[in-house]
Amino acid sequence: TQLLEQSPQFLSIQEGENLTVYCNSSSVFSSLQWYRQEPGEGPVLLVTVVTGGEVKKLKRLTFQFGDARKDSSLHITAAQPGDTGLYLCIGAGGTSYGKLTFGQGTILTVHP
Amino acid sequence: EAQVTQNPRYLITVTGKKLTVTCSQNMNHEYMSWYRQDPGLGLRQIYYSMNVEVTDKGDVPEGYKVSRKEKRNFPLILESPSPNQTSLYFCASSFGRQGYTTQYFGPGTRLLVL
């Protein structure tokens, strides 16, 4: 069974602080997706990374895919209360064709 | 509007009473999947389908059945629900057969089994 270890599980910070969420695995993935989920709704895609070493930016969010395509990180600069939510990483294209691998999720709370 | 719909959104039932949660997508996606989300455990894949009449087990398939008779629909069936199936369920679809592309999630179905 493939695992995608996501950390930290909980993060409570003040507005303006920076933070990083990690997803690590011993498996290689063809792609890794980051989603954000608000209470009462389904997850919504933020970004997909597919190339080892790839870095993608989405305003204050920076996503990185490890060189070996086994790990990824999400860095938020100057967090705002609107960033509050559940962040999920999902790996695709591991050893099981068609099966996705999920991180446990990070619940982020940004206090004004 | 491109979307994934699930029904019902909320369901309270009793142990052993068969139920079906419907899922439909209007994006002509090949890949569809069901997940359950539980506190501390994150999202876990129940079943997925890469095409019509093709379904495969995810990580937690026990106690669930699915079918994919049409491309747009992917119902989740609980033949004999038990309290440990109380959870928040999401259906999702994506373009392509392997689920590598953007997963579009439905709004969720909150199930309580008494």
Side-chain angles (χ1 to χ4, degrees):
Chain A
T1 303
Q2 298 175 92
L3 291 173
L4 201 47
E5 298 289 338
Q6 186 172 344
S7 63
Q9 194 172 353
F10 300 96
L11 203 48
S12 180
I13 61 172
Q14 293 296 127
E15 181 175 2
E17 292 184 21
N18 301 333
L19 66 110
T20 302
V21 179
Y22 299 93
C23 274
N24 297 305
S25 177
S26 57
S27 301
V28 176
F29 294 102
S30 297
S31 70
L32 199 138
Q33 301 172 353
W34 285 92
Y35 289 78
R36 179 162 170 262
Q37 184 180 10
E38 306 231 18
E41 298 180 10
V44 176
L45 181 74
L46 293 172
V47 81
T48 300
V49 286
V50 296
T51 305
E54 183 176 5
V55 176
K56 280 191 174 179
K57 292 197 173 187
L58 190 66
K59 296 183 181 177
R60 294 176 293 99
L61 279 60
T62 302
F63 303 86
Q64 192 161 2
F65 203 14
D67 290 340
R69 291 185 287 124
K70 293 182 180 181
D71 53 84
S72 181
S73 64
L74 156 61
H75 182 79
I76 301 179
T77 303
Q80 298 175 2
D83 296 326
T84 293
L86 172 66
Y87 291 82
L88 293 162
C89 60
I90 301 178
T95 57
S96 299
Y97 184 79
K99 201 170 170 184
L100 303 177
T101 306
F102 295 83
Q104 298 95 327
T106 296
I107 298 175
L108 170 65
T109 304
V110 183
H111 301 280
Chain B
E1 181 191 351
Q3 61 182 351
V4 177
T5 56
Q6 292 179 231
N7 283 293
R9 293 289 313 277
Y10 304 92
L11 182 59
I12 301 175
T13 189
V14 295
T15 299
K17 186 176 182 182
K18 180 179 178 180
L19 67 92
T20 299
V21 184
T22 64
C23 173
S24 183
Q25 51 95 3
N26 62 0
M27 295 169 278
N28 202 35
H29 286 166
E30 291 174 312
Y31 188 97
M32 296 186 75
S33 186
W34 275 103
Y35 308 93
R36 60 178 290 174
Q37 187 173 38
D38 302 288
L41 297 175
L43 272 174
R44 292 180 291 169
Q45 195 172 31
I46 303 171
Y47 270 94
Y48 61 96
S49 169
M50 290 190 277
N51 209 341
V52 175
E53 302 291 1
V54 179
T55 62
D56 284 290
K57 295 177 181 179
D59 291 316
V60 288
E62 295 78 21
Y64 304 95
K65 284 176 58 176
V66 292
S67 68
R68 188 90 182 274
K69 294 186 172 58
E70 309 164 276
K71 199 171 187 178
R72 63 182 293 130
N73 295 322
F74 191 45
L76 178 70
I77 302 155
L78 284 70
E79 294 270 5
S80 183
S82 62
N84 65 11
Q85 292 179 296
T86 291
S87 187
L88 178 58
Y89 291 87
F90 288 102
C91 178
S93 71
S94 66
F95 177 74
R97 295 186 177 182
Q98 297 180 41
Y100 293 4
T101 56
T102 304
Q103 296 275 314
Y104 291 86
F105 286 84
T109 295
R110 194 169 288 280
L111 173 65
L112 172 62
V113 183
L114 300 172

